[in-house]
Amino acid sequence: MIWIWAGFVLLILILLALDLGVFHRKDHVIGMKEALLWSAIWISMGLLFSIVIYFTYQNHWMGMGSANDPIDHDPIDGADGVLKYLTGYVIEKSLSADNIFVMAIIFSYFKIPAIYQHRVLFWGIVGAIFMRGMMIWAGAALIHYEWVIWVFGGFLVLTGLRMAFSKHEDDHDLGKSRVYRLLRRMFRVTQEYHGHHFIAKENGRWLLTPLALTLLMVEATDLIFAVDSIPAIFAITGDPFLVFTSNIFAILGLRSLYFALAGMIDKFRYLKMALSIVLMVVGVKMLTAMWLKKLLGEHFNLYLLGAVFGILVVGIGMSIRANKRDEAMAAAEAKC
């Protein structure tokens, strides 16, 4: 089993090395066309990896999938593994939308030049992979205790309710952020940027640059979001490899998705409500997995994937419709 884990980690390291060392070796502003192209590439790789998942779990290579899943208490075959992987991938990808909003606020607050934003996000993703790996390892060890399943499920329902009734303006005021104030007290920071460097020497002392402070804020916010998203994937499956691979492939494309959506994320006004409903749905699923299995049959995870996808489509569709209505009203008022 360790060789499958080692192979996946090696794959991710190769992809990251190619990303920064070859395709983005020179700092440049990421345009919409490039962002959409890379988003399509990362999404395609994430979906294609489901083929690896299928054959690995269908043939139980190195024992993968032969143990009962702590959530539904069944072994995982190829089709079931793909379904759980894709559901986790879709949930993590959708929850990334809120993360993109916060990243946009951070970059705007620190006035990060567009030419350096990709580098900050790249190293932010590297740190996120390490942190989430540790959290998934801990979660996989704890999920075998039944009381942890109830804690995770209840936490997701409460998080969904909190997200539904909170406002971005209140949640993401960086000037009042405890993380920001703590970092300012802990580190000395230069007043000016020093290219794409994270540290610089001034008056004989090594100091952090504003780019480094931004990176630390990105890492801190990703850690906060991971507290929501990782339990959400554990609601789908307790298999650590499925949780880890779906989570990592989802966040690998987060940088490209940021450059593609950051400028128009506010237009999806009902997406936040849709995400809160998704969290509550997966939380309820985690709490009632055995009952749902008896009621809906062995394919109840497929119904969950359909429900999650449907909720997101409805949220996006309602946002687009509301935007068109507002534009029509604005045009009518302008004629008057």
Side-chain angles (χ1 to χ4, degrees):
M1 184 179 296
I2 190 173
W3 292 110
I4 293 180
W5 281 89
F8 179 75
V9 171
L10 179 61
L11 172 64
I12 298 304
L13 292 176
I14 292 173
L15 292 176
L16 290 174
L18 289 173
D19 189 340
L20 188 64
V22 178
F23 298 110
H24 297 97
R25 184 166 55 88
K26 294 182 179 180
D27 295 323
H28 65 283
V29 178
I30 307 295
M32 177 65 73
K33 184 177 180 180
E34 182 181 358
L36 291 174
L37 174 62
W38 277 104
S39 292
I41 290 173
W42 286 116
I43 291 173
S44 297
M45 285 193 290
L47 296 178
L48 286 172
F49 191 75
S50 63
I51 299 174
V52 177
I53 293 294
Y54 177 83
F55 286 104
T56 299
Y57 283 83
Q58 183 67 21
N59 298 296
H60 298 301
W61 290 338
M62 299 186 184
M64 299 295 286
S66 57
N68 289 347
D69 191 316
I71 301 300
D72 56 25
H73 304 289
D74 285 333
I76 306 174
D77 61 16
D80 195 32
V82 169
L83 182 59
K84 291 177 177 179
Y85 168 82
L86 290 178
T87 305
Y89 179 84
V90 170
I91 290 175
E92 176 60 35
K93 204 72 173 176
S94 61
L95 290 175
S96 297
D98 216 35
N99 207 344
I100 290 173
F101 180 89
V102 179
M103 287 179 180
I105 292 177
I106 292 173
F107 284 144
S108 175
Y109 185 86
F110 289 104
K111 297 180 173 59
I112 302 299
I115 195 172
Y116 300 138
Q117 290 180 5
H118 180 274
R119 182 169 292 268
V120 173
L121 291 177
F122 175 87
W123 290 110
I125 294 299
V126 172
I129 291 174
F130 176 78
M131 289 189 298
R132 291 183 182 223
M134 295 297 100
M135 294 177 69
I136 290 170
W137 174 79
L142 292 172
I143 202 68
H144 292 280
Y145 298 98
E146 187 174 352
W147 63 268
V148 174
I149 295 176
W150 286 91
V151 170
F152 277 9
F155 174 77
L156 289 173
V157 173
L158 292 176
T159 300
L161 290 171
R162 178 181 59 82
M163 181 184 292
F165 295 103
S166 67
K167 296 181 179 180
H168 281 301
E169 298 89 339
D170 299 331
D171 293 342
H172 307 306
D173 187 346
L174 292 187
K176 300 178 181 179
S177 168
R178 294 180 181 178
V179 175
Y180 173 73
R181 289 183 295 184
L182 177 62
L183 291 174
R184 292 294 299 183
R185 287 198 299 266
M186 291 176 59
F187 301 105
R188 295 182 179 273
V189 183
T190 64
Q191 295 297 319
E192 304 293 336
Y193 291 95
H194 291 260
H196 63 223
H197 298 293
F198 293 109
I199 59 173
K201 198 171 186 179
E202 289 187 357
N203 300 321
R205 294 186 303 174
W206 287 101
L207 306 176
L208 296 184
T209 66
L211 217 60
L213 189 60
T214 304
L215 175 60
L216 292 174
M217 286 294 297
V218 169
E219 295 285 16
T221 54
D222 182 78
L223 179 62
I224 293 171
F225 279 105
V227 173
D228 294 340
S229 63
I230 289 178
I233 297 182
F234 270 114
I236 309 304
T237 176
D239 185 287
F241 189 73
L242 293 177
V243 173
F244 185 68
T245 53
S246 60
N247 200 282
I248 297 308
F249 265 116
I251 66 173
L252 276 177
L254 184 57
R255 291 158 299 151
S256 301
L257 200 61
Y258 166 80
F259 291 109
L261 297 180
M264 56 182 181
I265 194 67
D266 284 338
K267 294 183 179 180
F268 299 106
R269 65 182 74 181
Y270 295 114
L271 183 58
K272 179 184 174 185
M273 180 59 68
L275 293 176
S276 68
I277 295 173
V278 166
L279 284 177
M280 287 186 279
V281 167
V282 297
V284 171
K285 183 266 181 185
M286 195 173 198
L287 294 172
T288 61
M290 298 306 297
W291 181 80
L292 286 175
K293 183 179 178 180
K294 293 179 181 179
L295 178 66
L296 302 176
E298 60 180 6
H299 300 299
F300 75 104
N301 278 308
L302 179 61
Y303 303 144
L304 175 65
L305 176 59
V308 170
F309 188 76
I311 292 168
L312 295 173
V313 169
V314 170
I316 293 172
M318 289 179 62
S319 300
I320 295 174
R321 183 178 179 181
N323 291 333
K324 289 183 178 179
R325 183 181 65 244
D326 291 347
E327 290 174 0
M329 292 177 62
E333 292 177 358
K335 290 182 180 180
C336 297

PDB file of all heavy atoms in Angstrom, residues 30 33 87 112 133 138 181 183 206-207 228 290 323 326:
ATOM      1  N   ILE A  30      -1.214  36.466 -15.305  1.00  0.00           N
ATOM      2  CA  ILE A  30      -2.044  35.394 -15.837  1.00  0.00           C
ATOM      3  C   ILE A  30      -3.321  35.986 -16.416  1.00  0.00           C
ATOM      4  O   ILE A  30      -4.129  36.572 -15.693  1.00  0.00           O
ATOM      5  CB  ILE A  30      -2.393  34.359 -14.749  1.00  0.00           C
ATOM      6  CG1 ILE A  30      -1.122  33.855 -14.054  1.00  0.00           C
ATOM      7  CG2 ILE A  30      -3.187  33.203 -15.354  1.00  0.00           C
ATOM      8  CD1 ILE A  30      -0.194  33.082 -14.941  1.00  0.00           C
ATOM      9  N   LYS A  33      -7.556  33.886 -20.701  1.00  0.00           N
ATOM     10  CA  LYS A  33      -7.420  32.751 -21.617  1.00  0.00           C
ATOM     11  C   LYS A  33      -6.495  31.693 -21.047  1.00  0.00           C
ATOM     12  O   LYS A  33      -6.806  30.490 -21.072  1.00  0.00           O
ATOM     13  CB  LYS A  33      -6.905  33.242 -22.972  1.00  0.00           C
ATOM     14  CG  LYS A  33      -6.826  32.158 -24.023  1.00  0.00           C
ATOM     15  CD  LYS A  33      -6.377  32.724 -25.365  1.00  0.00           C
ATOM     16  CE  LYS A  33      -6.301  31.628 -26.423  1.00  0.00           C
ATOM     17  NZ  LYS A  33      -5.866  32.170 -27.754  1.00  0.00           N
ATOM     18  N   THR A  87     -17.222  12.358  -6.006  1.00  0.00           N
ATOM     19  CA  THR A  87     -18.059  13.141  -5.091  1.00  0.00           C
ATOM     20  C   THR A  87     -17.198  14.028  -4.206  1.00  0.00           C
ATOM     21  O   THR A  87     -17.493  15.222  -4.022  1.00  0.00           O
ATOM     22  CB  THR A  87     -18.927  12.215  -4.223  1.00  0.00           C
ATOM     23  OG1 THR A  87     -19.687  11.343  -5.053  1.00  0.00           O
ATOM     24  CG2 THR A  87     -19.877  13.029  -3.352  1.00  0.00           C
ATOM     25  N   ILE A 112      -0.940  43.269  -3.868  1.00  0.00           N
ATOM     26  CA  ILE A 112       0.037  42.395  -4.506  1.00  0.00           C
ATOM     27  C   ILE A 112      -0.023  42.586  -6.017  1.00  0.00           C
ATOM     28  O   ILE A 112      -1.097  42.425  -6.625  1.00  0.00           O
ATOM     29  CB  ILE A 112      -0.236  40.917  -4.170  1.00  0.00           C
ATOM     30  CG1 ILE A 112      -0.201  40.702  -2.657  1.00  0.00           C
ATOM     31  CG2 ILE A 112       0.784  40.006  -4.861  1.00  0.00           C
ATOM     32  CD1 ILE A 112       1.118  41.032  -2.015  1.00  0.00           C
ATOM     33  N   GLY A 133      -2.508  16.963   4.205  1.00  0.00           N
ATOM     34  CA  GLY A 133      -2.052  15.591   4.375  1.00  0.00           C
ATOM     35  C   GLY A 133      -2.015  15.199   5.840  1.00  0.00           C
ATOM     36  O   GLY A 133      -2.452  14.101   6.215  1.00  0.00           O
ATOM     37  N   ALA A 138      -4.680  12.393  10.387  1.00  0.00           N
ATOM     38  CA  ALA A 138      -5.300  12.385  11.714  1.00  0.00           C
ATOM     39  C   ALA A 138      -6.778  11.991  11.626  1.00  0.00           C
ATOM     40  O   ALA A 138      -7.283  11.207  12.439  1.00  0.00           O
ATOM     41  CB  ALA A 138      -5.158  13.762  12.362  1.00  0.00           C
ATOM     42  N   ARG A 181      -3.020  40.254  12.822  1.00  0.00           N
ATOM     43  CA  ARG A 181      -2.383  40.990  13.930  1.00  0.00           C
ATOM     44  C   ARG A 181      -1.291  40.172  14.594  1.00  0.00           C
ATOM     45  O   ARG A 181      -0.255  40.701  15.000  1.00  0.00           O
ATOM     46  CB  ARG A 181      -3.457  41.398  14.946  1.00  0.00           C
ATOM     47  CG  ARG A 181      -4.387  42.494  14.437  1.00  0.00           C
ATOM     48  CD  ARG A 181      -5.386  42.927  15.480  1.00  0.00           C
ATOM     49  NE  ARG A 181      -6.317  41.853  15.819  1.00  0.00           N
ATOM     50  CZ  ARG A 181      -7.336  41.984  16.651  1.00  0.00           C
ATOM     51  NH1 ARG A 181      -7.556  43.153  17.238  1.00  0.00           N
ATOM     52  NH2 ARG A 181      -8.127  40.971  16.907  1.00  0.00           N
ATOM     53  N   LEU A 183       0.580  37.822  13.096  1.00  0.00           N
ATOM     54  CA  LEU A 183       1.721  37.786  12.181  1.00  0.00           C
ATOM     55  C   LEU A 183       2.500  39.091  12.213  1.00  0.00           C
ATOM     56  O   LEU A 183       3.737  39.087  12.156  1.00  0.00           O
ATOM     57  CB  LEU A 183       1.242  37.499  10.758  1.00  0.00           C
ATOM     58  CG  LEU A 183       0.687  36.095  10.492  1.00  0.00           C
ATOM     59  CD1 LEU A 183       0.120  36.001   9.091  1.00  0.00           C
ATOM     60  CD2 LEU A 183       1.785  35.045  10.694  1.00  0.00           C
ATOM     61  N   TRP A 206      17.658  40.346   8.047  1.00  0.00           N
ATOM     62  CA  TRP A 206      16.763  39.646   7.141  1.00  0.00           C
ATOM     63  C   TRP A 206      15.325  39.864   7.586  1.00  0.00           C
ATOM     64  O   TRP A 206      14.981  39.637   8.747  1.00  0.00           O
ATOM     65  CB  TRP A 206      17.072  38.157   7.105  1.00  0.00           C
ATOM     66  CG  TRP A 206      18.333  37.827   6.362  1.00  0.00           C
ATOM     67  CD1 TRP A 206      19.547  37.533   6.894  1.00  0.00           C
ATOM     68  CD2 TRP A 206      18.495  37.774   4.952  1.00  0.00           C
ATOM     69  NE1 TRP A 206      20.473  37.305   5.913  1.00  0.00           N
ATOM     70  CE2 TRP A 206      19.841  37.437   4.693  1.00  0.00           C
ATOM     71  CE3 TRP A 206      17.636  37.957   3.856  1.00  0.00           C
ATOM     72  CZ2 TRP A 206      20.349  37.302   3.413  1.00  0.00           C
ATOM     73  CZ3 TRP A 206      18.138  37.817   2.587  1.00  0.00           C
ATOM     74  CH2 TRP A 206      19.472  37.491   2.365  1.00  0.00           C
ATOM     75  N   LEU A 207      14.494  40.342   6.674  1.00  0.00           N
ATOM     76  CA  LEU A 207      13.088  40.633   6.977  1.00  0.00           C
ATOM     77  C   LEU A 207      12.179  39.932   5.973  1.00  0.00           C
ATOM     78  O   LEU A 207      12.590  39.614   4.851  1.00  0.00           O
ATOM     79  CB  LEU A 207      12.837  42.144   6.907  1.00  0.00           C
ATOM     80  CG  LEU A 207      13.737  43.052   7.746  1.00  0.00           C
ATOM     81  CD1 LEU A 207      13.403  44.513   7.466  1.00  0.00           C
ATOM     82  CD2 LEU A 207      13.569  42.747   9.223  1.00  0.00           C
ATOM     83  N   ASP A 228     -13.354  22.872   7.338  1.00  0.00           N
ATOM     84  CA  ASP A 228     -14.698  22.599   6.816  1.00  0.00           C
ATOM     85  C   ASP A 228     -14.687  21.509   5.755  1.00  0.00           C
ATOM     86  O   ASP A 228     -15.519  20.590   5.770  1.00  0.00           O
ATOM     87  CB  ASP A 228     -15.301  23.866   6.211  1.00  0.00           C
ATOM     88  CG  ASP A 228     -15.553  24.946   7.253  1.00  0.00           C
ATOM     89  OD1 ASP A 228     -15.616  24.594   8.447  1.00  0.00           O
ATOM     90  OD2 ASP A 228     -15.675  26.115   6.867  1.00  0.00           O
ATOM     91  N   MET A 290     -26.035   4.753   7.361  1.00  0.00           N
ATOM     92  CA  MET A 290     -26.575   3.396   7.385  1.00  0.00           C
ATOM     93  C   MET A 290     -28.070   3.379   7.078  1.00  0.00           C
ATOM     94  O   MET A 290     -28.561   2.511   6.360  1.00  0.00           O
ATOM     95  CB  MET A 290     -26.303   2.754   8.745  1.00  0.00           C
ATOM     96  CG  MET A 290     -24.810   2.603   9.066  1.00  0.00           C
ATOM     97  SD  MET A 290     -23.900   1.713   7.780  1.00  0.00           S
ATOM     98  CE  MET A 290     -24.699   0.116   7.852  1.00  0.00           C
ATOM     99  N   ASN A 323     -28.698  38.252 -12.047  1.00  0.00           N
ATOM    100  CA  ASN A 323     -27.845  39.259 -12.689  1.00  0.00           C
ATOM    101  C   ASN A 323     -28.504  39.816 -13.945  1.00  0.00           C
ATOM    102  O   ASN A 323     -28.463  41.030 -14.202  1.00  0.00           O
ATOM    103  CB  ASN A 323     -26.478  38.652 -13.036  1.00  0.00           C
ATOM    104  CG  ASN A 323     -25.654  38.354 -11.801  1.00  0.00           C
ATOM    105  OD1 ASN A 323     -25.825  38.987 -10.766  1.00  0.00           O
ATOM    106  ND2 ASN A 323     -24.775  37.382 -11.903  1.00  0.00           N
ATOM    107  N   ASP A 326     -31.253  42.192 -12.931  1.00  0.00           N
ATOM    108  CA  ASP A 326     -30.722  43.481 -12.491  1.00  0.00           C
ATOM    109  C   ASP A 326     -30.252  44.322 -13.671  1.00  0.00           C
ATOM    110  O   ASP A 326     -30.446  45.548 -13.704  1.00  0.00           O
ATOM    111  CB  ASP A 326     -29.558  43.265 -11.521  1.00  0.00           C
ATOM    112  CG  ASP A 326     -30.018  42.681 -10.191  1.00  0.00           C
ATOM    113  OD1 ASP A 326     -31.241  42.680  -9.936  1.00  0.00           O
ATOM    114  OD2 ASP A 326     -29.152  42.227  -9.415  1.00  0.00           O
TER     115      ASP A 326
END
